[in-house]
Amino acid sequence: MDRAPSLPETLEYLEALIEERRLKRSDLLDLKGLAARTALPEQTIRNLLEGGNPPADTVNERVRARIKALSDAHLERTGRRMSDLAGSISRQLGVSAFWARQVCAGDKMPSVELLHGLVDYFHVDGGEAFFTAPAPEALNRALLSIAAAYQPLPEKTAAASDPLAAVQDQFDDVRGIALRQARALPPERWKVLNATLEALLELDESEGDQ
């Protein structure tokens, strides 16, 4: 199984994407947006984007901090009080309101069962790893999700009125781009290109047999 790109590799790809597609850097690397996605402090995200290291922490410290960040954001967004949030979590997850309030305030470490319930309650991606992953990994996961949303779409062709012809033209465009840019690809992206080309060749062979 191919390994996931590292944070520096993901940032390099996003910078190239910004330049190639003339995007606003803030659209992809917005500090407030990334903080909301990751429950990380903006300063930590800024340091990571600039190639720095996050503050040293333990798993317990990052879990408590991220739950508090999610809770604070929820209260600010909804206008609810902490007692309302704690009561809601208490009813939904079967813990005391007092304990839920302490967890949401970042004062207490939740049990594994409660942490699993908070994943669903706050609708976070990545399961419990959202709370436990080191900051670079958490940011990288969010950036990979953003990169996937900005994948280039095939250009419209003159044959758009013919669906089959349009699809074939899109494949031809991909082949041309791949061949022109092949020499500039780093090794880790060769695997993606190779898999794409193999899929295209298999498509051609299956069409030829029909």
Side-chain angles (χ1 to χ4, degrees):
M1 181 180 295
D2 293 340
R3 67 173 180 82
S6 65
L7 177 59
E9 290 170 338
T10 301
L11 287 172
E12 182 180 356
Y13 173 78
L14 287 174
E15 292 290 356
L17 187 63
I18 291 170
E19 181 178 354
E20 177 183 334
R21 300 187 64 183
R22 299 181 180 178
L23 301 170
K24 291 183 178 180
R25 195 173 190 274
S26 59
D27 289 342
L28 278 71
L29 303 176
D30 172 60
L31 290 179
K32 289 186 180 297
L34 290 171
R37 280 173 172 262
T38 61
L40 293 172
E42 289 185 31
Q43 184 58 50
T44 296
I45 294 174
R46 181 182 290 107
N47 288 342
L48 290 171
L49 293 180
E50 293 175 352
N53 296 316
D57 62 4
T58 66
V59 173
N60 285 3
E61 288 172 341
R62 68 181 69 131
V63 168
R64 294 200 306 269
R66 290 176 200 176
I67 292 175
K68 184 179 186 304
L70 288 177
S71 300
D72 291 345
H74 175 86
L75 297 178
E76 181 178 356
R77 183 174 64 254
T78 63
R80 301 170 75 187
R81 297 173 299 176
M82 177 62 83
S83 59
D84 298 327
L85 175 60
S88 176
I89 291 175
S90 171
R91 291 187 296 272
Q92 183 168 323
L93 303 183
V95 296
S96 71
F98 176 74
W99 181 250
R101 181 166 188 153
Q102 288 185 303
V103 170
C104 290
D107 296 330
K108 294 294 183 179
M109 179 69 182
S111 65
V112 173
E113 183 178 2
L114 178 54
L115 187 62
H116 180 74
L118 291 174
V119 169
D120 293 330
Y121 187 87
F122 286 112
H123 306 292
V124 298
D125 296 327
E128 289 82 354
F130 178 91
F131 298 103
T132 61
E137 182 180 327
L139 177 59
N140 192 39
R141 182 172 57 243
L143 293 177
L144 287 172
S145 177
I146 293 173
Y150 276 87
Q151 289 297 319
L153 298 174
E155 295 182 359
K156 294 182 179 179
T157 67
S161 59
D162 181 350
L164 293 178
V167 170
Q168 184 61 52
D169 286 345
Q170 290 168 9
F171 285 145
D172 290 340
D173 287 345
V174 173
R175 289 188 182 110
I177 293 172
L179 291 173
R180 287 195 299 271
Q181 297 183 347
R183 292 185 178 180
L185 287 176
E188 63 272 10
R189 296 182 65 181
W190 260 107
K191 296 179 181 179
V192 178
L193 175 59
N194 186 59
T196 302
L197 292 176
E198 286 180 353
L200 292 173
L201 290 173
E202 289 176 3
L203 177 62
D204 284 344
E205 291 175 358
S206 62
E207 289 178 346
D209 292 338
Q210 295 177 358

